[in-house]
Amino acid sequence: MNAFYSEIIRFYNERNWHTLKELSAALNERGISHDSKHVNKFLYYPPRTEQELNAIVDIFGAEKEKIKHAIELDSLPYEIIKNIRHIPITELVSSRSEESQLTLSNFCFYLKEHRESKRFTYTALAKSVGVSSNYIYWLEKGERGIPEPSILKRIAVAVGAPYEEIMRKAGY
């Protein structure tokens, strides 16, 4: 049973709006899969390797810890799972401390300032970074968490910010 994993992947995909073809291309770019038929595997079954996990995190703009929490939840006995299924997945996997929430808030403000100073729309920045405009929107609203370093690097280049500074703002 992989209900929690597939639910968190659906949650992230709704904010990125990837088509199966786009997911297949993204996996192919990362050397994970050359066959579009394997895409469903990544939507419904947890990654088996660290490379697959990192690809899922990067493609969906997901938080690695939340993906790991969802996988752990799926391993619980059915009696426990049936008693927690009514709780939204985002609450079940959330583990933000006050400090991490402050870091996220500071990063969101920093990103918005830099995007607006370059007069980028969400769509323009998204195209430069290689993510969806929904991803940038939700990122600035603090609903996406802190991106992985590979995405931060692309954001830094796009907005003309020093990579080291954006990494510090993101709490790395």
Side-chain angles (χ1 to χ4, degrees):
M1 175 183 240
N2 299 308
F4 293 110
Y5 170 78
S6 58
E7 190 174 336
I8 196 74
I9 291 298
R10 263 194 317 276
F11 168 78
Y12 282 119
N13 196 37
E14 285 173 2
R15 286 173 163 64
N16 286 316
W17 300 104
H18 289 298
T19 65
L20 289 178
K21 187 175 180 179
E22 291 169 336
L23 289 174
S24 178
L27 289 168
N28 188 24
E29 287 172 8
R30 289 159 178 81
I32 304 292
S33 175
H34 297 286
D35 187 351
S36 62
K37 293 177 185 172
H38 290 136
V39 172
N40 280 336
K41 176 183 111 178
F42 293 98
L43 295 176
Y44 300 105
Y45 300 100
R48 288 178 276 154
T49 66
E50 191 69 18
Q51 180 188 16
E52 289 178 352
L53 176 61
N54 289 334
I56 293 299
V57 166
D58 192 36
I59 291 166
F60 289 103
E63 294 177 63
K64 188 183 275 189
E65 289 306 310
K66 288 188 178 187
I67 299 291
K68 287 180 176 181
H69 284 254
I71 293 168
E72 290 170 7
L73 287 169
D74 282 328
S75 68
L76 292 172
Y78 177 74
E79 289 302 313
I80 295 173
I81 290 174
K82 75 178 186 180
N83 289 322
I84 61 173
R85 283 297 302 147
H86 67 283
I87 303 171
I89 188 67
T90 52
E91 288 182 32
L92 287 172
V93 298
S94 183
S95 59
R96 287 189 186 150
S97 66
E98 282 185 35
E99 183 180 329
S100 69
Q101 186 61 45
L102 181 61
T103 299
L104 179 60
S105 297
N106 288 338
F107 172 75
C108 295
F109 180 75
Y110 177 84
L111 175 60
K112 183 175 182 176
E113 272 190 332
H114 276 75
R115 179 183 61 79
E116 289 176 346
S117 74
K118 291 288 184 178
R119 296 197 165 134
F120 277 139
T121 62
Y122 295 120
T123 303
L125 180 56
K127 284 183 181 179
S128 295
V129 174
V131 296
S132 73
S133 57
N134 283 335
Y135 178 79
I136 298 296
Y137 173 82
W138 288 110
L139 187 59
E140 281 189 12
K141 299 291 182 205
E143 296 295 322
R144 294 307 308 236
I146 300 293
E148 292 291 308
S150 62
I151 294 175
L152 289 172
K153 177 123 180 126
R154 296 189 313 245
I155 290 171
V157 169
V159 300
Y163 178 61
E164 296 78 20
E165 183 180 338
I166 202 167
M167 287 291 286
R168 255 191 326 277
K169 293 287 185 182
Y172 285 100

